[in-house]
Amino acid sequence: MSKHAMTRRAFVRGAGAALGAPFVITSAALGAEKKPPASERIVMGTIGLGGRGRHDMQALISNDDVQMVAVCDVQADRRNQGKAEVDKRYGNGDCATYRDFRDLLARDDIDAVLVATGDNWHALASIHAAQAGKDMYCEKPMAVTLAEGRALCQAMERYGVIFQCGTQRRTVSRFAYAVELAQTGKLGELKTLYAEMAPAEWFKYHPHATLPPEPEPDPEVIDWDMWLGPAPWRPFNKTYLTRPFWMANYDFSCGMITEWGSHTVDLCQWANNADDTTPTEFEVVEGTIVARYANGVELVFEEGKWPLHVRFVGSEGMIYVDDDGNVEAEPKSLLADRKFGKGYPQANHVRNFLDCVKSRRQPVAPAEGAHRANSTSQIANICLQLGRKLTFDPVKEQFVGDPMADRLLTRTIREPWRL
Amino acid sequence: MSRSTIALAAVLAAIVALTSALPNAAADEALDKAFDALKGYEWGADRTALAALDKAVADSHDDDQARLELEKRLSAVIRGDAPQAAKDIACRQLSLIGSAECVPAVSALLTDEKLSHMARYALERIPDAAAVAAMRDAMPKVSGRLKVGVINSLGVRRDAESADALIALLGDSDPQIAAAAAAALGSIGNAQAAEALEGFQEKAPANLKLAAADAYLVCAERLLADGKKTDALKIYRALAKSELKHVRVAGTRGMLAVAGKK
């Protein structure tokens, strides 16, 4: 039973009156066949309904112990599509829609939320969710600055809510197995970790590019002010809303390093038992970034080529894993007769989140680990931007002897928002 | 030293001076062109035209004189009649290299509806006390969202000198301003802020209950980090009796933290 079981029961009692419709005890409320009764279901809302958001939402609502009751997006077509998908799943028309995520979070019948907004909103929406007492599954990258990431961690710690970052390769068996080999010394002394960046051709736009003004739509159709949220204002242009433009723009995301680094760097950090730290040195070497941890392990950011992959090299072995299901190891005996699947489904990751909402245990991709992995990618970005070697103190979360780099650890958020 | 040796040394010195001056001259010319492009930069213009400026700013980290020169030129762009998009970029650059030198130019934008945020974008990152003082001075001159923004920045900078003004704003009729003032006081996190937030916590209207609780919790964390366990415990005990379940949980977690059990 989840922490808000009483609240949900109260909602079931009062929902009919609150919504101005007669309340009928249905088989769905009582729990038909395998479906758990309403009091044991996790009542959820989805914030952000782009392609990824709806994909995550489908993974959530495929679980019988999830009841999705509300969706939110600043774009009307996405709101309507999200509602249609939820209503189809439950065979009714009950899913509520919201333009402003704060209205969704104000519902006390909702236990948990999916945060799948644009990247510039991830941390703020998650912090608001924690302040409202909700657990959350948040897409990666969990923040666009180190300051945002730390504030998110503090909010999760403050309220004791469950946070699962959408770094789902942690629950894909072949990636988890590679990490296990590294962590347990099966590769010998760990030497070099290779993390792939997203393919450069996806990032042809300048990271600070702007676009010529176009007429601003009716906020009910596209709420431009809310879409920008904490990011600096600029006049509307529909191209901002499209990938890869916003992904490449530092006001809305963090570019090619975090796009795949959210997964690949995260796995390297995990392999190095570095979920609570970051490398201490970063430098540009032959056009890419090489970082070093305090324990001597080197992290190399590799040029991205499909399929996404990681490679861990130790003194006595190596393992390579990719998204197409390829797994190579030296010595080959490390793999024995193991069979692995393809792809990078998030079913296990979502299930882990839901189980943790019920058990109140830390999920496999908690806030601190996600923050440290994201920090490593962010610092690599800063290193690339400044074009010089940087030394970082993972305890103070500050650079050593580079005040200009320190200034890039935070960004001023546009009013009225704040961390 | 023979005359021939002196002549050779002079030639070598001239070659060295010439070869080092040539790249500098090229860089200076590229920077001048970038500033020309910046002065007329409109939304959607080619951003790569400003690459020399980006590089000059990044490379100035160990050159005080270069930073100061850039700061003066960027301040001039802000003071001039450049488009909003140009001033936006100038503020971003000054957020990296700005000092007290640029504060008068940047702070003049704090009351500008369109550029107040970008002024804060620069000022929040400038370590000099003059940057905070400028935002403190601007607080009574702005209203609505702009006031919320300035309050938020003073909170980020944990400006204890703003505490009296922020306490007065807890009773503001605009709930966004009252909530921002509470959050800023929570970030300041001293005894004066704690006392004010205690009162705010007790009388906050329903739409500010969450904001009041969060500010009070942050204040407790600041006090605890400063070693003021008794003051922090007082806050956590009060919040452990909140009508809001998750705030009660947070209060209880705080009490455990004070006891070193978390």
Side-chain angles (χ1 to χ4, degrees):
Chain A
M1 185 180 293
S2 86
K3 67 193 171 91
H4 292 309
M6 286 302 292
T7 306
R8 287 205 302 281
R9 275 195 291 271
F11 172 72
V12 169
R13 281 198 303 272
L19 299 174
F23 179 61
V24 178
I25 297 287
T26 64
S27 60
L30 294 173
E33 298 187 10
K34 288 191 296 181
K35 196 174 181 76
S39 62
E40 292 176 16
R41 276 178 244 152
I42 299 166
V43 179
M44 291 195 69
T46 293
I47 303 170
L49 291 154
R52 188 69 201 173
R54 293 200 313 282
H55 189 70
D56 289 346
M57 187 178 75
Q58 287 290 348
L60 284 160
I61 62 178
S62 69
N63 288 271
D64 283 340
D65 56 351
V66 167
Q67 187 77 31
M68 193 68 66
V69 298
V71 294
C72 171
D73 201 286
V74 297
Q75 299 183 57
D77 58 343
R78 292 182 171 198
R79 280 196 298 277
N80 296 335
Q81 192 172 350
K83 171 179 167 56
E85 290 183 16
V86 173
D87 286 345
K88 182 181 178 187
R89 164 75 172 94
Y90 299 124
N92 58 32
D94 293 350
C95 181
T97 58
Y98 298 92
R99 194 172 100 196
D100 188 327
F101 70 93
R102 292 170 295 186
D103 295 330
L104 184 151
L105 292 175
R107 285 179 54 160
D108 63 7
D109 62 311
I110 291 179
D111 301 313
V113 291
L114 163 64
V115 177
T117 56
D119 298 351
N120 60 323
W121 266 115
H122 285 169
L124 265 183
S126 295
I127 290 168
H128 275 263
Q131 288 168 350
K134 317 297 187 195
D135 298 322
M136 74 217 71
Y137 183 104
C138 176
E139 261 304 328
K140 61 82 191 171
M142 47 93 88
V144 295
T145 64
L146 269 74
E148 278 190 3
R150 178 48 65 206
L152 184 152
C153 291
Q154 288 169 340
M156 302 308 132
E157 175 70 16
R158 185 174 305 139
Y159 291 102
V161 292
I162 300 296
F163 177 94
Q164 171 89 305
C165 188
T167 47
Q168 79 275 15
R169 286 169 183 81
R170 284 197 173 212
T171 45
V172 172
S173 62
R174 63 185 182 282
F175 286 105
Y177 180 66
V179 168
E180 183 188 332
L181 290 181
Q183 286 184 339
T184 55
K186 300 285 188 344
L187 302 177
E189 186 184 351
L190 213 50
K191 296 291 185 186
T192 309
L193 309 164
Y194 294 89
E196 208 180 10
M197 301 180 285
E201 62 264 27
W202 295 1
F203 296 86
K204 59 183 179 180
Y205 298 105
H206 191 285
H208 299 291
T210 62
L211 295 163
E214 291 178 352
E216 191 171 321
D218 178 344
E220 192 53 39
V221 178
I222 299 174
D223 188 336
W224 179 235
D225 184 57
M226 279 296 278
W227 189 91
L228 288 170
W233 183 88
R234 82 280 325 275
F236 175 80
N237 183 303
K238 59 183 172 299
T239 302
Y240 283 119
L241 278 54
T242 60
R243 288 175 62 145
F245 191 93
W246 65 260
M247 255 166 42
N249 195 293
Y250 282 5
D251 280 344
F252 312 124
S253 185
C254 321
M256 60 195 267
I257 295 181
T258 52
E259 175 53 24
W260 276 10
S262 295
H263 295 292
T264 58
V265 172
D266 177 63
L267 291 164
C268 290
Q269 292 258 132
W270 197 23
N272 193 26
N273 287 307
D275 266 359
D276 60 351
T277 189
T278 64
T280 54
E281 293 177 2
F282 294 75
E283 62 181 318
V284 182
V285 179
E286 296 175 0
T288 193
I289 306 289
V290 176
R292 282 171 210 85
Y293 292 88
N295 66 356
V297 173
E298 207 167 64
L299 171 66
V300 179
F301 291 78
E302 287 193 304
E303 184 186 347
K305 290 174 188 163
W306 192 264
L308 175 150
H309 65 261
V310 289
R311 187 159 43 109
F312 308 148
V313 178
S315 59
E316 295 168 30
M318 176 284 295
I319 186 160
Y320 164 99
V321 185
D322 71 26
D323 271 355
D324 274 354
N326 300 303
V327 182
E328 296 165 17
E330 290 293 341
K332 291 185 173 30
S333 59
L334 287 171
L335 299 180
D337 294 325
R338 286 175 181 271
K339 303 289 183 200
F340 298 104
K342 288 185 177 181
Y344 42 96
Q346 76 268 53
N348 291 344
H349 212 57
V350 161
R351 189 63 250 168
N352 174 254
F353 167 69
L354 297 172
D355 290 344
C356 291
V357 167
K358 293 179 177 181
S359 70
R360 313 311 297 165
R361 292 180 182 277
Q362 280 282 36
V364 70
E368 182 68 23
H371 166 60
R372 293 298 191 159
N374 189 46
S375 296
T376 297
S377 293
Q378 301 284 0
I379 297 166
N381 260 336
I382 293 170
C383 183
L384 210 54
Q385 178 181 344
L386 298 180
R388 56 180 175 265
K389 184 175 179 178
L390 297 173
T391 304
F392 189 74
D393 181 336
V395 177
K396 294 179 180 172
E397 297 195 293
Q398 289 179 343
F399 291 98
V400 178
D402 199 323
M404 187 189 290
D406 275 336
R407 294 191 191 195
L408 287 166
L409 296 174
T410 183
R411 294 181 202 168
T412 299
I413 287 170
R414 190 169 64 103
E415 62 275 357
W417 308 103
R418 62 180 162 274
L419 289 177
Chain B
M1 190 180 289
S2 70
R3 275 200 300 187
S4 61
T5 308
I6 292 170
L8 182 61
V11 169
L12 285 173
I15 290 170
V16 168
L18 189 62
T19 51
S20 59
L22 277 176
N24 284 344
D28 288 348
E29 189 181 341
L31 185 58
D32 289 345
K33 282 185 179 174
F35 265 104
D36 287 343
L38 176 63
K39 287 171 194 165
Y41 187 87
E42 298 277 7
W43 302 116
D46 179 12
R47 186 60 177 74
T48 58
L50 308 181
L53 174 59
D54 294 334
K55 183 169 178 2
V57 166
D59 290 349
S60 70
H61 72 106
D62 57 357
D63 186 337
D64 292 348
Q65 190 57 38
R67 273 204 312 280
L68 188 59
E69 285 301 315
L70 285 166
E71 194 174 1
K72 286 178 177 174
R73 294 178 78 172
L74 290 163
S75 297
V77 172
I78 286 174
R79 285 198 183 95
D81 58 359
Q84 181 185 352
K87 293 186 180 183
D88 174 297
I89 291 170
C91 286
R92 290 172 191 260
Q93 303 289 10
L94 286 169
S95 80
L96 296 177
I97 59 169
S99 68
E101 167 71 28
C102 74
V103 168
V106 176
S107 60
L109 301 180
L110 284 169
T111 54
D112 184 321
E113 194 78 31
K114 293 180 175 174
L115 284 159
S116 184
H117 171 233
M118 295 317 296
R120 293 191 298 111
Y121 199 100
L123 294 170
E124 238 186 57
R125 280 176 169 174
I126 295 172
D128 197 286
V132 186
M135 292 192 284
R136 196 186 306 132
D137 293 346
M139 188 161 57
K141 299 174 189 165
V142 286
S143 59
R145 275 175 67 145
L146 266 52
K147 195 183 207 66
V148 170
V150 172
I151 293 168
N152 289 345
S153 286
L154 290 167
V156 169
R157 294 296 293 263
R158 301 187 66 187
D159 180 38
E161 288 186 48
S162 295
D164 287 339
L166 292 169
I167 289 168
L169 291 173
L170 289 174
D172 199 279
S173 58
D174 181 342
Q176 292 215 61
I177 290 176
L185 286 165
S187 293
I188 291 168
N190 61 14
Q192 185 189 11
E195 186 181 345
L197 289 172
E198 181 182 11
F200 185 61
Q201 178 73 18
E202 289 164 359
K203 66 182 181 194
N207 62 341
L208 289 174
K209 286 284 183 197
L210 284 179
D214 193 68
Y216 209 22
L217 285 164
V218 171
C219 187
E221 288 168 15
R222 301 291 195 199
L223 291 165
L224 185 57
D226 289 342
K228 294 171 182 167
K229 287 188 176 184
T230 306
D231 296 336
L233 186 59
K234 179 184 174 187
I235 294 173
Y236 287 133
R237 277 187 174 143
L239 291 173
K241 297 173 190 165
S242 169
E243 64 203 63
L244 301 164
K245 181 181 174 185
H246 70 286
V247 174
R248 290 200 301 276
V249 170
T252 305
R253 289 172 65 84
M255 289 164 67
L256 290 170
V258 171
K261 293 181 179 174
K262 199 177 67 170

